[in-house]
Amino acid sequence: MPETMTGPVADLGATLMHEHVFGLSPEILWNWPDIPEGWDLETRAREAAAKLDALKAEGIDSIVDLTVVGLGRYTPAVRRVAELTSVNIVAATGLYTYDALPPYFGNRGPGSLFGGRDRLAEFFVRDITTGIGRTGVKAGMLKCASDHLGMTPGCERVFRAVAEAHLETGVPITTHSAQPGGLEQQRLLASLGVDLSRVVIGHAGDSTDLAYLEELLAAGSYLGMDRFGIETISPFEDRVAVVAALCERGHADRLVLSHDSYCFNDRFDADVVRRRHPNYHLLHVSRDVLPALRERGVTEEQIHQMLVGNPRRIL
Ligand SMILES: [Zn+2]
């Protein structure tokens, strides 16, 4: 049974595979507290739970919270949200960097200034088997990232550790990718012995290049069509058209949907986001994307595959 923040759940139902509850910058909060109303755990947890309950009312049962270390993961706060909402939250482990590792890891491990063991895989496995921090919450997904810089040495160490933790635990992998970097990610993971059908190439939906997307699919991975609402990267019409085209070509069994949205994120100015990305919120898929897909001929069965069947198989 898949793990969630409140324990294993028999059936996750309709699942958004790439979301975030809290994106926090603890070092900024400690030193330059700049949120006028402050960051109070209970207040923020209640706010976030209300947003997730609204999502439940739109037919979504579960989210995967891909906030890993590097994005301000603070599991006690998210666990409190999970206690307050009826939406299941699957936790993730991994490390988010596009470039170098944080010094804690960069100064350890083979080839580093001080040498010694690389502890990344050990920590990822601990999150999955024992639980995150002292919360007892077990991670159900592994995450690694590379972006416009490609597979830097720091990114590669994370990918290697994620592959090791995956092979030890069987927990699936999702990536953050910038196109066409998904292919490089697949090559590395496959070379490390990972079955690519256990991997979601995240943010693949930012691309409109069907040849690239079908190359990723041919290698067996799922594609994250997971940034609905981030119009400046790819607009609504393009994102919908790509999903509809891939469904028409028979790939609905390999696509997952999401927003890459946050209940609360201190790295954005919320007012600016509301103005410039009015659809960048958790309800966009249910309210706007699914109707647009139906209009373009995507069937109920295909929507069920993308929201229910595929997440169930992955998790
Ligand atoms: Zn994300």
Side-chain angles (χ1 to χ4, degrees), residues 18-20 66 71 96 143 176 203 227 260 262:
H18 191 134
E19 303 295 345
H20 302 271
L66 290 179
L71 289 168
Y96 184 88
K143 181 182 185 186
H176 161 108
H203 310 330
R227 277 177 158 175
D260 195 10
Y262 285 79

Side-chain angles (χ1 to χ4, degrees), residues 182-221:
L183 294 170
E184 186 183 33
Q185 298 183 338
Q186 284 186 324
R187 276 194 298 274
L188 176 58
L189 290 171
S191 78
L192 297 168
V194 174
D195 171 356
L196 293 179
S197 73
R198 302 291 294 140
V199 177
V200 181
I201 301 297
H203 310 330
D206 289 353
S207 172
T208 53
D209 180 349
L210 292 182
Y212 163 65
L213 296 172
E214 287 198 310
E215 202 177 335
L216 293 173
L217 288 164
S221 296

